[in-house]
Amino acid sequence: MPIALANRSAGRTITNVSAFLGCVLGLGVLPAHSVYAEGIKLGPVEVGGAVRVNIFDKSWIDEEEVRDYWDFDTAMLDLDFAEGNWEASAQYRLYYYSGPDYSTHFLHHGWVGYKLNETDYVRAGVQKVPFGPLPFASHSYFFSILYYLGFEDDYDLGLAYHGETGAWQFDGAYFYSDEGNGHGKSNDSARYSYDVVNDLGRSNTEENTFTGRAAYNFSHGEAGSSEMALSLLYGDLPNGDTGETGSRFAAGLHWDADFGPWNVIAQTVYFDHDVKAPSGQDDRLVTMGAYDFPYDVAAEAVVYSLGVAHSWDTGGDFALNSLTLYNDYSYMDKSEESFAGSQHNVLGVALDFEGPALVYVDLLSGRNNAYANPDYTGAFGAGASESGWEHRFNINVGFYF
C-alpha cells in the first residue's frame, strides 16, 4: 500500500503539520519519497497508517525564550478497497500541538472509484485536484510554495475523470465544494489542504470549481522521459456577508522530466481571486487555511517554482533502501505592487529505511513565508519589504504500517 508523508510547521512553537506526506497515493519517480508498507489485509480491504514526529530549530525564535525542539507530528489511519473494477480509499489524520496543548483532526481524503480500463477511471468524493505535476510539484517535506496557496496536493469534494490515449493524459473534474472543515478551534480551517476559507473576518468559500489538465509525455531515449502539461481552474467564491459570488481562476504550465537518477520539475502558475467583499474590506487579500490555522494570501500573483533531485539506490546497506538529495525553490510575485514577494527554498535529503521508515532532513529558508517567519498571518499577504530570510531546520521521522 503506497503511503507517503509530508508535513509542514507553522512559524510557531507548535508543529503545524502541513503534510508533505500527502503520499498516501505514492510519490512519483523518486524512490526515497515512496514508502510501501504492507497493511493488514481483511479480504478486499487493506488497513494501514503511520505515526510521525518532528525535530526542529527555528531561526526567528529568540534564544532566551523557552522553546521546543521536537514535537509529535501526526497519526493517520488508511483504508483501501479493491474488488474487480471498483476501488475506494480513505485517510483520516490527527495532529497534536503541544504549545497550545490541543489537537485537530480531519479527513484527508475519501473517495470511491470505478476503473473503466487499465488506465482510465472515474472517482467521486474528497480527492486530489488534478492541477499541475502529479502527484506533487516538488520533492521535499515542505513542498513548494504552491501547496500553501492551494495549488499543490489540494483535495476537494467532487467528481473526476482520468483518461489516457497514446502519449496524452487528460483529467477533468468538477468540485462541488472544498473538503470541509474538521475538528479544531478555528472557524473554518481544520483541514489538510489549503482552501479559501470563512475565517479572519472574511466570509469567502470555494464552490463549483472546474479543473482541466492535458499532459503530453515523450521519451528521451534511454535517458528517461518528460511530461509537459497545461492546467486550468475556474470556480465560484460566494461571500456570506454580501450575498454576491466572486470567482477564482488559475492557469499553470509545467515540465516534469527524468534523466536517469535526476528529476527536474519546473512550473509557472498564475492565479486571481476576484472576491465580492463588503465595503471597506481589502479585496486584495483572501483568507486561506489548513491545519486549523488561517492566514492572509495575496488575491493575485504569479508563482515560479523549480525543483531538482537526485536519487541513489543504496541496496539495503545499513537498512537504508535509498536516499534522495533535492533542492526546491519557488517565488510568489504578487500583483499588488505594494506587497512584498514571498520566497521558499528547501534543501534536503530523504532517507528511505526498511521497516518501513522514512526520514526527511530539510533546511527550509523563506522570506515573507508563513512557515519561516514570525509573521505567520501576513507573510503570504502584504508581507514586508524589510523582511529578511529566516530558516527552519527540520527532521521528520515517520513509521508506516
Side-chain angles (χ1 to χ4, degrees), residues 174-177 206-210 234-236:
Y174 165 74
F175 295 97
Y176 172 76
S177 69
E206 297 179 3
E207 291 183 4
N208 300 321
T209 299
F210 295 87
Y234 183 85
D236 292 339

Side-chain angles (χ1 to χ4, degrees), residues 209-220:
T209 299
F210 295 87
T211 61
R213 182 181 182 273
Y216 181 77
N217 296 271
F218 56 93
S219 174
H220 309 147

Side-chain angles (χ1 to χ4, degrees), residues 5 57 66 82 155 193 226 233 238 270 277 294 341 384 387 393:
L5 316 147
D57 189 32
V66 176
Y155 288 79
S193 55
S226 283
L233 178 151
Y270 166 79
S387 177
F393 177 71

Side-chain angles (χ1 to χ4, degrees), residues 2-352:
I3 302 178
L5 316 147
N7 292 26
R8 30 230 97 224
S9 285
R12 326 179 160 218
T13 57
I14 64 171
T15 306
N16 176 6
V17 262
S18 298
F20 172 89
L21 179 73
C23 292
V24 78
L25 301 176
L27 284 185
V29 296
L30 299 176
H33 289 186
S34 294
V35 176
Y36 291 90
E38 289 295 331
I40 302 171
K41 284 282 192 178
L42 301 172
V45 177
E46 186 171 358
V47 182
V51 175
R52 303 196 313 251
V53 297
N54 275 321
I55 303 167
F56 55 86
D57 189 32
K58 305 172 184 177
S59 66
W60 61 95
I61 304 297
D62 193 306
E63 292 295 336
E64 297 180 357
E65 293 184 31
V66 176
R67 56 196 300 180
D68 296 325
Y69 291 95
W70 75 276
D71 212 340
F72 173 78
D73 178 9
T74 184
M76 61 185 72
L77 176 67
D78 293 279
L79 295 173
D80 292 284
F81 169 87
E83 184 72 29
N85 288 353
W86 290 95
E87 57 183 352
S89 180
Q91 184 186 94
Y92 202 84
R93 295 193 178 191
L94 179 145
Y95 297 94
Y96 173 73
Y97 305 140
S98 63
D101 188 24
Y102 83 96
S103 63
T104 180
H105 49 87
F106 39 75
L107 182 72
H108 173 275
H109 72 268
W111 53 261
V112 175
Y114 186 82
K115 294 185 288 185
L116 303 173
N117 52 47
E118 291 185 358
T119 60
D120 303 357
Y121 57 79
V122 290
R123 289 176 180 172
V126 175
Q127 58 187 300
K128 187 187 289 283
V129 176
F131 188 96
L134 297 175
F136 304 105
S138 55
H139 311 91
S140 66
Y141 168 83
F142 288 98
F143 288 147
S144 74
I145 206 171
L146 287 162
Y147 173 80
Y148 307 94
L149 308 176
F151 297 106
E152 180 178 1
D153 203 32
D154 182 32
Y155 288 79
D156 290 328
L157 173 63
L159 179 67
Y161 164 79
H162 172 84
E164 300 182 18
T165 176
W168 287 93
Q169 295 182 1
F170 298 97
D171 292 277
Y174 165 74
F175 295 97
Y176 172 76
S177 69
D178 57 36
E179 66 268 41
N181 186 50
H183 173 80
K185 292 189 175 182
S186 67
N187 186 58
D188 193 31
S189 298
R191 60 190 67 219
Y192 164 74
S193 55
Y194 281 92
D195 300 305
V196 176
V197 293
N198 178 10
D199 233 321
L200 296 182
R202 295 187 179 89
S203 62
N204 301 294
T205 55
E206 297 179 3
E207 291 183 4
N208 300 321
T209 299
F210 295 87
T211 61
R213 182 181 182 273
Y216 181 77
N217 296 271
F218 56 93
S219 174
H220 309 147
E222 295 183 359
S225 61
S226 283
E227 176 186 88
M228 301 284 291
L230 167 68
S231 299
L232 297 173
L233 178 151
Y234 183 85
D236 292 339
L237 289 176
N239 187 286
D241 291 330
T242 65
E244 299 181 74
T245 298
S247 63
R248 63 184 184 123
F249 170 79
L253 286 170
H254 78 260
W255 174 52
D256 186 351
D258 295 318
F259 299 93
W262 291 92
N263 176 253
V264 179
I265 303 176
Q267 184 175 201
T268 300
V269 174
Y270 166 79
F271 67 85
D272 182 23
H273 298 85
D274 179 18
V275 297
K276 302 302 182 183
S279 177
Q281 190 174 90
D282 194 344
D283 61 4
R284 300 172 302 171
L285 298 169
V286 294
T287 298
M288 303 195 76
Y291 301 96
D292 210 27
F293 291 97
Y295 51 50
D296 290 337
V297 171
E300 183 180 10
V302 178
V303 178
Y304 308 94
S305 67
L306 175 65
V308 180
H310 188 290
S311 295
W312 289 268
D313 184 350
T314 60
D317 292 341
F318 305 103
L320 179 64
N321 294 322
S322 64
L323 65 85
T324 301
L325 291 175
Y326 47 78
N327 193 86
D328 291 319
Y329 173 79
S330 42
Y331 174 67
M332 178 186 182
D333 184 10
K334 302 163 188 175
S335 297
E336 172 56 50
E337 293 183 359
S338 64
F339 289 1
S342 294
Q343 299 187 63
H344 180 94
N345 192 81
V346 187
L347 173 65
V349 57
L351 307 168
D352 184 3

